[in-house]
Amino acid sequence: MDDTLSYCETVIIGAGASGVFAAISEKLHHPKHSIAIFEKTTKSLAKVKISGGGRCNVTHACFDPKELCSFYPRGKHQLVNSFFQFYTEDIIHWFESKNVKLKTEEDGRIFPVSNQSQTIIDCFMKQLTEDQTKIRFQYELNKIQLQNNQFELQFSNQRKILCTKLILSCGGYPKLSQYHFLQELGIAIQTPVASLFTFNIPNSEFRGLEGISVESVEIKTNLSKQSNTGPLLFTHWGLSGPGVIKLSSILARELAEANYSYEVVLNFLPAQKENDFFESLKIQKQKQAKSKLKQILPNSLATRLKTRLLELIKLDGEKNLADCSFDELRQLCSILFECRLKCNGKTSFKEEFVICGGVDLSEINLKTMESKKIHNLFFTGEMMDVDGFTGGFNFQHAWTSAWIAGKQG
Ligand SMILES: Cc1cc2nc3c(=O)[nH]c(=O)nc-3n(C[C@H](O)[C@H](O)[C@H](O)COP(=O)(O)OP(=O)(O)OC[C@H]3O[C@@H](n4cnc5c(N)ncnc54)[C@H](O)[C@@H]3O)c2cc1C
């Protein structure tokens, strides 16, 4: 398409993961359509480049579409049909068919064998070149007008383009006002908030323990009954680790509504019951009277963490068990099973963060990704109110929705 041409059959807005893959799917399913991608910046696939710490975690080794849904706090009840159409196995086969070798890591994350996101970018760009699909840079979509079964698109560079099929692959916007061109069409938007972040604890009781981790901690907040059990990492700004990041996704809305000011509650012994532990301490007090307090704390906790926990309840680790009162043992149980910390603020998790919110799923026919209100208007990727945990799930949804949107029409 050259600059003077103002009509294109299919227009895709956004040259990110889902926009580029939608263009590839569109070309495969409709080889005769004229297709163009319009991108507001000067770069394509910018997030793919930095994704997965520069390695691009393309998907996850989960091969049951129903199970796959459970990794999406937003979308888990609606995505199953989409995944039955195109899911993890399909994108793996697609990459393999393009000679991109993938590998699965122990935790299920799938990366290119090269460990370089550039491999994925090169593969997509090669396909676009073969398909003769062009990306127009510095075209920021500003307004969509409907005209006799066509879309008139207005860009901030004053250009206008007409198209018959429109695929919006704009990613997640942090502010509601940025969805204005959709709200003007009467499309409902779920207010965007952050997901996949770490917890800030100003003046944390655990300062100085940066770098110490605990393999399995049950983490919850005072805002909800929902909890998550997983690895916890103390950082210089507060708490991080997979357990925290997953909880930030599960509670993305609740934490935003509380303006990120809440109490986090840690249970350092999630496999045990507090009362049973207390009873076992009482028995040890009789049978191992000479044991020191610091010796009876679980081995799953680092020595410095044990010391800090005892300091917080003002107990001397050198004290013999026999000399501890029941009250003191109760306090010890409390800090181990219900350690409360005041959180204020969040820090984005640099490996992967996403927007929770976007186009309300009730607006979209998820079998086709088409708008229920406007014929031939499609949505893909993070622009939709779908987001997943870390592990390749966000890209998987980008590929799935893009493949389906490209197939239609
Ligand atoms: C640091 C980081 C690491 C990540 N790592 C992983 C990972 O390893 N695995 C994983 O599964 N997920 C990862 N994610 C999440 C993943 O990158 C996104 O979920 C995914 O990129 C979404 O694809 P998308 O096409 O919907 O949006 P994007 O990739 O964000 O692309 C949207 C594109 O649209 C353009 N655009 C926006 N508005 C307009 C407009 N009005 N006009 C024209 N163009 C517009 C944008 O400039 C952008 O190029 C990571 C995210 C981050 C931030």
Side-chain angles (χ1 to χ4, degrees), residues 1 25 28 41 51 72-73 86 249 263 290 326 349 361 363:
M1 199 186 104
S25 169
L28 183 76
T41 69
S51 66
Y72 296 84
F86 189 92
S249 171
E263 217 173 43
K290 292 241 162 70
F326 281 173
F349 172 55
L361 294 188
E363 294 280 355

Side-chain angles (χ1 to χ4, degrees), residues 14 18 39-40 51-52 57 139 141 170 173 350-351 382 392 395:
S18 72
E39 163 59 46
K40 72 173 175 186
S51 66
N57 175 197
Y139 275 78
L141 179 70
C170 304
Y173 294 125
K350 289 195 194 74
E351 288 287 298
E382 219 176 296
F395 277 144

Side-chain angles (χ1 to χ4, degrees), residues 47 158 251 308:
K47 276 198 195 168
Q158 309 306 323
L251 298 182
R308 183 64 58 88

Side-chain angles (χ1 to χ4, degrees), residues 176-208:
L176 185 59
S177 59
Q178 292 173 289
Y179 295 84
H180 65 92
F181 55 86
L182 288 176
Q183 290 176 311
E184 284 159 14
L185 297 176
I187 289 174
I189 306 294
Q190 284 289 335
T191 306
V193 298
S195 181
L196 302 178
F197 50 86
T198 66
F199 298 170
N200 283 11
I201 307 185
N203 307 315
S204 166
E205 289 85 337
F206 293 102
R207 260 202 173 166

Side-chain angles (χ1 to χ4, degrees), residues 13-19 38-41 43-48 50-53 56-59 111 139-142 155 169-173 181 349-354 380-383 389 391-396 398:
I13 305 292
S18 72
F38 292 89
E39 163 59 46
K40 72 173 175 186
T41 69
K43 284 199 180 107
S44 56
L45 299 167
K47 276 198 195 168
V48 172
I50 56 166
S51 66
C56 189
N57 175 197
V58 284
T59 186
F111 293 90
Y139 275 78
E140 179 175 10
L141 179 70
N142 249 342
F155 294 88
S169 311
C170 304
Y173 294 125
F181 55 86
F349 172 55
K350 289 195 194 74
E351 288 287 298
E352 180 174 344
F353 56 86
V354 288
T380 68
E382 219 176 296
M383 169 142 245
F389 297 140
F393 302 105
N394 288 301
F395 277 144
Q396 183 54 55

Side-chain angles (χ1 to χ4, degrees), residues 32 131 175 184 190 355:
K32 296 211 168 106
D131 293 348
K175 288 192 197 137
E184 284 159 14
Q190 284 289 335
I355 294 289

Side-chain angles (χ1 to χ4, degrees), residues 56-288:
C56 189
N57 175 197
V58 284
T59 186
H60 199 94
C62 172
F63 302 109
D64 173 357
K66 282 191 187 146
E67 192 195 340
L68 190 56
C69 292
S70 68
F71 295 97
Y72 296 84
R74 267 67 53 190
K76 66 171 163 250
H77 302 300
Q78 297 97 330
L79 291 180
V80 72
N81 190 287
S82 320
F83 288 141
F84 269 112
Q85 292 189 57
F86 189 92
Y87 83 140
T88 47
E89 219 167 65
D90 300 298
I91 192 66
I92 292 169
H93 286 157
W94 187 85
F95 279 122
E96 280 171 358
S97 75
K98 304 293 165 194
N99 294 321
V100 172
K101 291 200 169 46
L102 301 175
K103 58 167 177 180
T104 306
E105 301 208 329
E106 256 177 35
D107 58 5
R109 292 181 304 160
I110 297 181
F111 293 90
V113 167
S114 67
N115 274 334
Q116 289 187 349
S117 54
Q118 192 60 42
T119 305
I120 302 299
I121 297 175
D122 292 344
C123 167
F124 285 149
M125 296 322 278
K126 184 167 176 256
Q127 190 61 50
L128 288 187
T129 309
E130 276 175 27
D131 293 348
Q132 297 185 323
T133 301
K134 292 244 161 56
I135 304 175
R136 302 268 139 181
F137 292 102
Q138 293 180 301
Y139 275 78
E140 179 175 10
L141 179 70
N142 249 342
K143 196 172 178 62
I144 305 170
Q145 278 183 319
L146 306 177
Q147 274 190 15
N148 313 321
N149 297 325
Q150 288 188 333
F151 299 96
E152 186 190 287
L153 309 177
Q154 295 178 21
F155 294 88
S156 52
N157 60 9
Q158 309 306 323
R159 292 185 191 267
K160 289 184 182 178
I161 311 282
L162 272 183
C163 68
T164 305
K165 177 176 176 182
L166 176 59
I167 303 180
L168 295 177
S169 311
C170 304
Y173 294 125
K175 288 192 197 137
L176 185 59
S177 59
Q178 292 173 289
Y179 295 84
H180 65 92
F181 55 86
L182 288 176
Q183 290 176 311
E184 284 159 14
L185 297 176
I187 289 174
I189 306 294
Q190 284 289 335
T191 306
V193 298
S195 181
L196 302 178
F197 50 86
T198 66
F199 298 170
N200 283 11
I201 307 185
N203 307 315
S204 166
E205 289 85 337
F206 293 102
R207 260 202 173 166
L209 299 189
E210 295 88 34
I212 286 184
S213 59
V214 186
E215 192 51 40
S216 178
V217 178
E218 185 195 24
I219 309 158
K220 57 185 180 183
T221 69
N222 62 330
L223 303 174
S224 153
K225 287 202 173 121
Q226 276 180 293
S227 68
N228 180 46
T229 301
L232 175 92
L233 173 71
F234 292 100
T235 64
H236 63 270
W237 66 88
L239 298 176
S240 181
V244 166
I245 291 157
K246 188 166 171 189
L247 190 66
S248 80
S249 171
I250 296 169
L251 298 182
R253 282 227 170 272
E254 286 87 343
L255 299 182
E257 273 159 25
N259 209 13
Y260 302 102
S261 178
Y262 53 93
E263 217 173 43
V264 68
V265 187
L266 306 176
N267 172 358
F268 291 105
L269 300 177
Q272 299 191 43
K273 290 221 159 63
E274 186 172 344
N275 249 342
D276 294 348
F277 188 75
F278 180 60
E279 292 305 320
S280 77
L281 287 182
K282 285 196 329 200
I283 295 168
Q284 287 184 67
K285 182 175 153 67
Q286 280 186 337
K287 293 194 173 163
Q288 296 164 246

Side-chain angles (χ1 to χ4, degrees), residues 17 31 36 49 69 207 301 311 388:
K49 180 75 183 163
C69 292
R207 260 202 173 166
L301 307 181
E311 279 169 11

